[in-house]
Amino acid sequence: MAEAERIIGTPDVDDEAAAPAERPGGRRRIFALFAVAAVAYALDLVTKMVVVAKLEHHQPIQVIGDWLRFEAVRNPGAAFGFGEAFTIIFTIIAAVVIVVIARLARKLYSLPWAIALGMLLGGALGNLTDRIFRSPGVFEGAVVDFIAPKHFAVFNLADSAIVCGGILIVILSFKGLDPDGTVHKD
């Protein structure tokens, strides 16, 4: 019976007495989630402050020939500049993502999921900060983008964290790893 439960995906626990020993691991995973989120958020915030102070209203900086440049762009829309008229909607979506991740954190026992969700949380906080505090107004602010690859949209570190976190979640899902640490084998 215990072997069948392990294959189906229940946590690997031999008896009820071992279950409380898993709780500290959950706290470490929550710490990892918030540590990754804090690093992603801080990096995004600092880079945007530098871009606004040093790059906005100046010529773009060529980083790698014509392939990559830093260029200050204010983006009121979503990815690729779509949906400029829906800034308030993107603000609400970012706030909902933050709340969902915070609620999911209580059930988190997987380090890879903690890292992925931390990246999503940090990126969402970074872009939400712009939407709340940047012009033209509260909940309508334009996100500061500055990384401009050739033939691609301009983006920022928050966007990168969101995309990388999303890709990691897809990979973890395909591998059958759940946020609670269970593994589903097909």
Side-chain angles (χ1 to χ4, degrees), residues 9 13-14 34-35 38 40 86 110 118 132 160 171 176-177:
V13 178
D14 291 329
F34 289 115
F86 301 105
S110 166
I132 292 173
S160 297
I171 292 168
L177 181 61

Side-chain angles (χ1 to χ4, degrees), residues 123-184:
L125 284 169
N127 284 339
L128 182 61
T129 300
D130 281 359
R131 300 239 183 251
I132 292 173
F133 295 110
R134 296 206 188 270
S135 63
V138 177
F139 300 116
E140 297 177 352
V143 172
V144 174
D145 289 333
F146 62 95
I147 303 168
K150 186 176 183 177
H151 305 300
F152 196 72
V154 182
F155 58 95
N156 57 44
L157 293 183
D159 299 333
S160 297
I162 291 168
V163 168
C164 291
I167 290 169
L168 183 54
I169 286 172
V170 169
I171 292 168
L172 294 172
S173 296
F174 277 123
K175 289 184 145 226
L177 181 61
D178 288 341
D180 66 0
T182 59
V183 178
H184 299 280

Side-chain angles (χ1 to χ4, degrees), residues 21-32 105-106 108-110:
E22 289 184 324
R23 294 293 174 230
R27 281 191 218 115
R28 285 193 296 267
R29 301 312 184 258
I30 292 170
F31 175 78
R106 293 180 296 165
L108 190 62
Y109 288 94
S110 166

Side-chain angles (χ1 to χ4, degrees), residues 2-27:
E3 185 63 30
E5 287 177 353
R6 247 181 263 142
I7 291 172
I8 292 171
T10 58
D12 189 13
V13 178
D14 291 329
D15 58 27
E16 292 298 318
E22 289 184 324
R23 294 293 174 230
R27 281 191 218 115

